[in-house]
């Protein structure tokens, strides 16, 4: 899987404007509070309304309105609050960055939510090396963090899915479970549970301090505030960048130093996301759900991958699909069987050994995968396959006649 | 009240009671698992199939089927 894009190193991180979440990187607790001020304590109703008025949405990928999620837990008896930093997406490094470099902001948000909901169990779920290092060090500096329990998230694509998070905290393998009922009704130990991505918690911690008006000063009405984007691939400075909501594709690449070479497409929203062809008509598209709908893409957890014109798009899609097939949790029949089938067919196509029947077969298998699992993994993988076929349609045709557009542009194969 | 069919994919092992009882609602996929004919992951159970749907829920050896009530 040589063309897979690996995890962006955290050392490559840089803040673009406006830097909000990264205002207190590498600060101890005292310095953190000196810069941002003390963490206010808000009631549940107050916090839910604040989040709703700010238009804050979940930054883990699903963009669920945070105010509504908080409101649904108001009055719950003994709820559980979980900060989710699992970040199973290999092309995303933002949660890693926050936990490694700004753990106090995440802990602020976690404790803020736990206090507001009168939770009696508070968890932070993240990769073990982050918990052992920066998170433990940060906890030791705080007078208010005694209740926070740490649970290690395994390195797996689906380990951050909400029901997998609950399973891991209950001491079982971090695999998704069947919904409904939703986690916010029936989560850890059967109790109402708030699972919130760590960036969302960090955003809450800023919102509680500086208010709605400040929060909305960045971004658009559709995408308020800022969000972290992990920009990688054919850009000059791959890394994590904080951009205002609704920033354009072009500005995301520009934050990362701009294209390092000619670009043919950009993958938005991660491996479960969609490709957007790179053209004069698309580069000014905002990274927003509505603007990207035509491409069946959404900003998701902020992943942006620029694909060089010299790389084969069909091969890139096939490699991602093979990776996703390998990451199925082995629980649901259609996903366990269908994803390897899709990956094998797309691999044939990328290899140049496919016929027209292969394409027809892909179209036939896709509906047998879509929507047919306990979590979104089969649907997300189907989306990736469809997007690859659609975006690189010209290259698919060329592959069927034994060629490859990328090769013809001088790529060594 | 509209009823929709929900398959618990973690429980389901493709034993096939459901698509035998509800052939108008469910097809079978390449691997033996029930496949909604409407394309909807939670297909609406028509009134004419309501009794068969209840039977399928009760008789599924994996207890993988449920009916979800939805205000119509």
């Amino acid at each position: 899987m040589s063309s897979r894009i690996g995890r962006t190193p955290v050392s490559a991180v840089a803040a673009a404007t406006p830097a909000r979440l990264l205002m207190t990187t590498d600060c101890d607790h005292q310095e953190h509070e000196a810069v941002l001020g003390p963490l206010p304590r808000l009631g549940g109703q107050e916090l839910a309304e604040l989040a709703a008025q700010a238009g804050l949405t979940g930054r883990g990928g699903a963009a669920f309105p945070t105010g509504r999620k908080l409101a649904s837990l108001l009055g719950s008896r003994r709820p559980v609050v979980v900060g989710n930093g699992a970040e199973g997406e290999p092309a995303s490094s933002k949660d890693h960055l926050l936990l490694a470099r700004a753990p106090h902001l995440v802990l602020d948000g976690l404790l803020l939510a736990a206090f507001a909901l009168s939770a009696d169990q508070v968890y932070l779920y993240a990769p073990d090396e982050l918990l052992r290092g920066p998170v433990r060090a940060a906890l030791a500096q705080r007078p208010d963090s005694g209740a926070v329990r740490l649970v290690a998230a395994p390195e797996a694509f689906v380990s951050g899915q909400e029901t997998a998070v609950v399973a891991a905290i209950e001491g079982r393998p971090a695999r998704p479970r069947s919904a409904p009922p939703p986690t916010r009704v029936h989560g850890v130990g059967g109790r109402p549970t708030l699972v919130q991505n760590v960036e969302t918690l960090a955003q809450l911690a800023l919102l509680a301090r500086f208010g709605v008006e400040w929060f909305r000063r960045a971004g658009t009405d559709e995408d308020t505030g800022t969000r972290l984007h992990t920009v990688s691939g054919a850009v000059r400075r791959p890394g994590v960048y904080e951009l205002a909501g609704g920033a354009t594709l072009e500005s995301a690449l520009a934050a990362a130093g701009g294209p390092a070479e000619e670009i043919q497409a950009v993958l938005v929203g991660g491996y479960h996301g969609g490709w957007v062809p790179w053209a004069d008509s698309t580069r000014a598209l905002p990274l927003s759900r509505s603007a990207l709908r035509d491409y069946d893409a959404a900003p998701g957890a902020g992943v942006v991958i620029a694909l060089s014109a010299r790389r084969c798009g069909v091969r890139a899609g096939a490699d991602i699909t093979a990776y996703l097939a390998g990451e199925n949790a082995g629980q649901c029949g259609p996903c366990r069987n269908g994803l390897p089938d899709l990956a094998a067919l797309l691999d044939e196509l990328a290899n140049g050994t496919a016929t027209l029947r292969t394409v027809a077969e892909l179209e036939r298998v896709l509906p047998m995968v879509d929507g047919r699992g306990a979590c979104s993994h089969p649907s997300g993988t189907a989306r990736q396959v469809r997007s690859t076929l659609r975006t690189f349609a010209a290259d698919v045709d060329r592959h069927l006649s034994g060629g490859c557009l990328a090769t013809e542009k001088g790529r060594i194969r | 009240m509209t009823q929709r069919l929900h398959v618990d994919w973690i429980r389901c092992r493709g034993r096939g009671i459901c698509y035998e009882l509800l052939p108008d609602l469910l097809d079978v996929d390449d691997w033996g698992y029930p496949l909604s004919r409407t394309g909807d992951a939670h297909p609406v159970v028509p009134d004419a199939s309501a009794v068969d749907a209840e039977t399928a829920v009760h008789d599924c050896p994996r207890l993988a089927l449920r009916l979800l009530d939805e205000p119509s």
Side-chain angles (χ1 to χ4, degrees), chain A residues 198-222:
Chain A
V198 293
E199 183 190 337
T200 317
L201 292 172
Q203 297 278 8
L204 264 183
L206 293 175
L207 174 61
R209 284 180 167 97
F210 304 121
V212 170
E213 200 213 331
W214 171 87
F215 189 88
R216 284 180 167 270
R217 226 173 273 160
T220 60
D221 281 346
E222 183 189 349

Side-chain angles (χ1 to χ4, degrees), chain A residues 310 312 315 349-353 399 402-408 410-413:
Chain A
R310 294 186 302 119
C312 172
R315 173 44 65 198
L349 200 52
N351 279 341
T353 54
H399 278 240
C404 172
L405 289 177
T407 325
E408 288 154 28
R411 163 89 179 152
I412 10 77
R413 249 164 76 94

Side-chain angles (χ1 to χ4, degrees), chain A residues 48-358:
Chain A
E49 279 171 14
L50 201 61
Q53 284 163 11
L56 178 61
T57 53
R59 303 291 200 247
F64 192 85
T66 308
R68 261 170 58 200
K69 205 172 195 177
L70 286 167
S72 73
L73 275 124
L74 290 177
S76 307
R77 235 185 249 178
R78 302 169 63 224
V80 177
V81 170
V82 183
N84 183 6
E87 198 168 45
E89 169 81 50
S92 181
S93 300
K94 68 177 187 73
D95 295 340
H96 191 104
L97 161 75
L98 280 176
L99 290 167
R101 307 275 307 271
H104 284 297
L105 199 58
V106 174
L107 291 171
D108 278 355
L110 184 64
L111 293 165
L112 179 73
F115 178 83
L117 296 174
S118 307
D120 68 349
Q121 284 183 35
V122 191
Y123 295 92
L124 185 59
Y125 174 73
D128 201 35
E129 82 268 14
L130 293 171
L131 298 179
R132 281 170 188 279
V135 171
R136 258 187 219 293
L139 284 172
Q141 294 165 3
R142 301 176 68 113
D144 57 352
S145 61
V148 179
R149 298 183 220 183
L150 305 179
V151 177
E155 182 95 15
F157 194 85
V158 298
S159 67
Q161 297 250 3
E162 203 164 274
T163 55
V165 174
V166 171
I169 288 170
E170 291 175 343
R172 293 179 293 107
R175 293 196 299 238
R177 286 189 303 191
S178 281
T183 302
R184 57 184 185 274
V185 177
H186 186 96
V188 175
R191 289 159 57 177
T193 301
L194 177 80
V195 177
Q196 209 68 271
N197 169 263
V198 293
E199 183 190 337
T200 317
L201 292 172
Q203 297 278 8
L204 264 183
L206 293 175
L207 174 61
R209 284 180 167 97
F210 304 121
V212 170
E213 200 213 331
W214 171 87
F215 189 88
R216 284 180 167 270
R217 226 173 273 160
T220 60
D221 281 346
E222 183 189 349
D223 292 290
T224 58
T226 64
R227 56 211 65 218
L228 295 177
H229 289 273
T230 312
V231 187
S232 65
V235 288
R236 287 205 178 84
R237 290 192 305 274
V240 176
Y241 297 93
E242 184 171 14
L243 301 173
T248 63
L249 274 178
E250 194 165 36
S251 64
L253 299 196
E261 51 188 304
E262 195 191 333
I263 302 291
Q264 63 170 315
V266 177
L267 182 61
V268 180
Y271 287 9
H272 279 177
W275 294 96
V276 179
W278 185 247
D280 286 343
S281 57
T282 59
R283 59 186 66 193
L285 283 176
L287 285 158
S288 73
R289 216 162 246 262
S290 61
L292 299 174
R293 191 163 292 139
D294 287 351
Y295 302 93
D296 200 16
V303 170
V304 174
I305 306 174
L307 184 72
S308 153
R310 294 186 302 119
R311 289 261 314 269
C312 172
V314 185
R315 173 44 65 198
D319 284 351
I320 290 173
T321 306
Y323 169 82
L324 293 173
E327 290 290 308
N328 92 77
Q331 298 189 112
C332 304
C335 187
R336 192 176 60 231
N337 293 284
L339 265 51
D341 283 6
L342 289 176
L345 290 163
L346 206 51
D347 190 56
E348 268 179 46
L349 200 52
N351 279 341
T353 54
T355 63
L356 270 178
R357 247 197 99 241
T358 315

Side-chain angles (χ1 to χ4, degrees), chain A residues 176-180 332-334 336-338 341 364 368 372-374, chain B residues 6-10 12-13 29-31 33-36 41 66 68:
Chain A
R177 286 189 303 191
S178 281
C332 304
R336 192 176 60 231
N337 293 284
D341 283 6
R364 194 185 67 82
M368 293 189 197
R372 302 181 70 225
Chain B
H6 170 78
V7 180
D8 182 330
W9 293 108
I10 295 178
C12 179
R13 291 286 182 274
D29 70 12
D30 284 10
W31 317 288
Y33 298 91
L35 179 66
S36 162
R66 277 169 56 191
L68 305 176

Side-chain angles (χ1 to χ4, degrees), chain A residues 12-25:
Chain A
V13 155
T17 48
R20 288 183 168 184
L21 294 160
L22 306 176
M23 277 191 285
T24 56
T25 45

